[in-house]
Amino acid sequence: MESIAAVVFFVYGLCILSLSYGWLKLKRQPILHASLTPRTRVSVVVAIRNEEKNINLLLKHLSVQRYPRHLYEIILADDHSSDGTLSVINKWIQESDLYIRVVHNAARDTGKKAALRNGINKATGTLILTTDADCTMNECWIISMVSFYEKENPRMILGPVLYRTPGNKVFGHFQALEFISLQATSAGSASLNRPLFCNAANMAFSRKIYNELRDPLSSKTVSGDDTLFLLAIKKKHPGTIRFNKNPHAVVETLPEKNFTDFWNQRKRWVSKSKYYRDFDILFVSVLVFVTNLLISTGAVMMFFNPLFVNYVAVLFLLKLLIDSCLLFPFILYYRKHHLLLSYLPSQLVYPFYITATALGGRLLGFEWKNRSYHVN
């Protein structure tokens, strides 16, 4: 078993160090280029369902964007909201100078993907930006993404998504660190021209590439409107996906409030993995799972054989050191220093969490937006 663990951790270390190198070689993008005269028409598309508590704050942030009003529109794609979401939106339409359009899913269409397709199909922008209703962003978010688009001309832009961690809550910090690991992996892999995944809470793509693909949002699965879209572009146009390292491009969202919502969200994320056909993402996913499985099973074996104590301690310390090479530069760059204190406690839980999530996402159903979904 020791020899297997040695090989797995050697490969894992090479993988993480490669991603760290990818992150470090990314150039920090300036907020504006001297020659930039905004000319790209932008459509910000947001799928919404029962977002009465969140939509007002999102629209406040979109209303102060430093981008010409006549060059961007906000399309809110409603997925059969039953609360006061539409009333809040109508008030904004009446009282603000934002160009807001509300489109509704047909009675037979449900889910976020149906809403996004509906919203994107109605969009008039050359560049589509997507975010979520519970997100907030810098006033330079749109212009930072447009500036990057006009300079690099990528098919897709990945933007950083971070959690707004409330106070010193342990659970919130655990989620924030895990999310940072995903974001750092997304950035590093994109820098190496082997992008692995992205997050629709902060994503931009040209309308042209969306129209090129037969089923860009992968309607066959509930989740994956972002990563499966990215993998389709990667296959058709390799080397055209970029990560925007501009600090002004950050979008923030809130961690889940309780374990039940968190567990359902993670199972939903994992559920799309059975549709992966990309070697890079399959290799990294299996490698991460096996690495954490070795630690978690070794920890269980300690209760039956004390000799496993040293084995688990060595593996844990190795993983702690390896992961820090990727996470710490990302954390420091985005000034999330307070999360460093939670790094060690989170790493103690992480191997068990990854193992359980990987299995649960493939075997168990989940709930999302008051709807139940089963794993086929």
Side-chain angles (χ1 to χ4, degrees), residues 15 18-19 21-23 25-26 158 182 184-198 227 230-231 233-235 237-243 278-285:
C15 178
S18 297
L19 293 171
Y21 168 73
W23 163 253
K25 74 186 280 283
L26 271 176
L158 316 182
L182 298 175
T185 301
S186 175
S189 61
S191 173
L192 298 173
N193 286 325
R194 307 192 79 156
L196 295 173
F197 39 72
C198 58
T227 296
L230 174 145
L231 295 178
I233 297 176
K234 176 183 177 181
K235 182 178 180 180
H237 298 285
T240 64
I241 299 171
R242 299 282 187 270
F243 186 91
D278 178 80
F279 172 81
D280 295 333
I281 195 170
L282 288 172
F283 176 79
V284 172
S285 298

Side-chain angles (χ1 to χ4, degrees), residues 146-160:
V146 171
S147 175
F148 189 82
Y149 173 72
E150 294 188 348
K151 179 186 177 186
E152 302 286 339
N153 194 31
R155 297 294 203 287
M156 175 179 276
I157 302 171
L158 316 182

Side-chain angles (χ1 to χ4, degrees), residues 165-271:
T165 47
N168 294 314
K169 293 185 178 179
V170 175
F171 187 43
H173 285 198
F174 172 81
Q175 293 182 68
L177 279 168
E178 187 229 0
F179 206 63
I180 279 176
S181 71
L182 298 175
Q183 289 294 299
T185 301
S186 175
S189 61
S191 173
L192 298 173
N193 286 325
R194 307 192 79 156
L196 295 173
F197 39 72
C198 58
N199 194 302
N202 193 4
M203 186 172 74
F205 50 90
S206 66
R207 166 169 285 286
K208 181 180 179 182
I209 189 62
Y210 180 84
N211 292 335
E212 276 185 27
L213 299 175
R214 182 177 179 182
D215 183 18
L217 301 183
S218 298
S219 56
K220 57 190 174 184
T221 176
V222 175
S223 186
D225 48 279
D226 41 21
T227 296
L228 293 174
F229 186 16
L230 174 145
L231 295 178
I233 297 176
K234 176 183 177 181
K235 182 178 180 180
K236 185 164 185 166
H237 298 285
T240 64
I241 299 171
R242 299 282 187 270
F243 186 91
N244 187 358
K245 200 174 180 178
N246 190 325
H248 295 281
V250 170
V251 163
E252 291 191 321
T253 187
L254 285 170
E256 296 297 331
K257 296 179 181 179
N258 55 64
F259 180 78
T260 300
D261 291 343
F262 170 78
W263 179 235
N264 275 302
Q265 184 187 60
R266 280 0 184 225
K267 285 189 293 181
R268 173 169 60 87
W269 288 357
V270 174
S271 68

